[in-house]
Amino acid sequence: MADRLPHMLRSDARDNRDRLLDAARAAFSEHGLDVPMREIARRAGVGPATLYRRFPTKQALIDEAFTDELRACGGIVRAGCADPEPWRGLCSVVTDITELNARNQGFVDAFLSSYPGTVDFAAHRARMLRSLALLCRRAQEAGSLRADFVLDDLILVLMAGRGLWAAAPDVRVAAARRFAALALDAFRAAPTGTALPPPARVTRGAMRG
């Protein structure tokens, strides 16, 4: 029992941290970065003392929440690219990133607006796009992704999906999943598929931010 106690305490601390960061991202997405710390603690179901013990300042909480957001995005892309079935990997990336953006895009926008240059977001985005380009190429070579697809098409879908965070909180996830499914259906290779209009070249602009 004595051996289990430190592990239980560490587990409780991790749970508190995760609840606080989830609550912070949700609150920041809905109301901007001026949400009081007590409101974040209330949403997380912990006392203010627990919040300040884990995050002594609001800036520390904001920074950690944004770092976690980038980490989550990177994890989604890495997992999709590691899938031996490239179409399945691409589907998971589009679905999971669209859902992540629907939940937290308001927070990301608020952070980048309030703290421009604090995080090299452009470098992060460029790394993700390079990985996604390879994944899309694999899916095309496997015959799963339509031959006339270009990376700009994926950027268009992800850009459009970012707007879903403006929907009511109780429908964001459902909207994100349906939107992703519709987009992926358009991406799927089909022998009799209708030709797409000329691609919109948005990749360069997306990498510049």
Side-chain angles (χ1 to χ4, degrees):
M1 181 65 182
D3 292 338
R4 291 173 55 196
L5 185 57
H7 174 74
M8 293 168 62
L9 292 174
R10 288 193 298 271
S11 178
D12 288 344
R14 284 195 299 270
D15 289 345
N16 286 339
R17 174 192 176 278
D18 292 344
R19 285 200 301 272
L20 285 165
L21 290 173
D22 287 344
R25 282 191 291 269
F28 294 148
S29 290
E30 294 170 23
H31 305 295
L33 303 184
D34 293 331
V35 178
M37 291 283 272
R38 285 184 174 274
E39 170 62 16
I40 293 170
R42 185 193 67 77
R43 287 180 176 229
V46 303
T50 299
L51 170 57
Y52 281 105
R53 186 164 55 248
R54 185 63 185 81
F55 301 102
T57 66
K58 187 175 184 180
Q59 189 61 57
L61 175 61
I62 292 171
D63 291 346
E64 185 69 13
F66 188 75
T67 299
D68 247 27
E69 190 75 6
L70 294 188
R71 190 179 297 121
C73 179
I76 289 170
V77 173
R78 285 191 296 274
C81 291
D83 195 315
E85 171 46 59
W87 174 252
R88 184 174 60 199
L90 179 61
C91 288
S92 70
V93 168
V94 172
T95 301
D96 292 349
I97 287 186
T98 301
E99 184 175 333
L100 183 70
N101 287 342
R103 293 178 185 273
N104 300 327
Q105 188 60 47
F107 164 55
V108 173
D109 290 345
F111 180 92
L112 294 176
S113 175
S114 298
Y115 306 105
T118 302
V119 175
D120 193 351
F121 190 57
H124 162 81
R125 186 162 41 196
R127 287 194 301 272
M128 297 300 99
L129 288 177
R130 285 194 293 270
S131 297
L132 289 173
L134 293 175
L135 176 61
C136 292
R137 188 181 308 156
R138 287 173 52 214
Q140 281 183 316
E141 291 172 352
S144 304
L145 181 63
R146 55 188 304 158
D148 56 352
F149 170 93
V150 293
L151 185 60
D152 302 271
D153 299 326
L154 177 59
I155 302 305
L156 283 173
V157 167
L158 296 180
M159 287 172 63
R162 289 170 57 184
L164 294 172
W165 77 270
D170 60 337
V171 301
R172 286 175 190 164
V173 172
R177 290 173 180 168
R178 183 168 179 85
F179 175 79
L182 290 168
L184 288 164
D185 189 58
F187 287 169
R188 189 186 301 271
T192 59
T194 303
L196 290 172
R201 300 295 182 183
V202 297
T203 301
R204 183 179 300 177
M207 294 181 69
R208 287 200 307 264

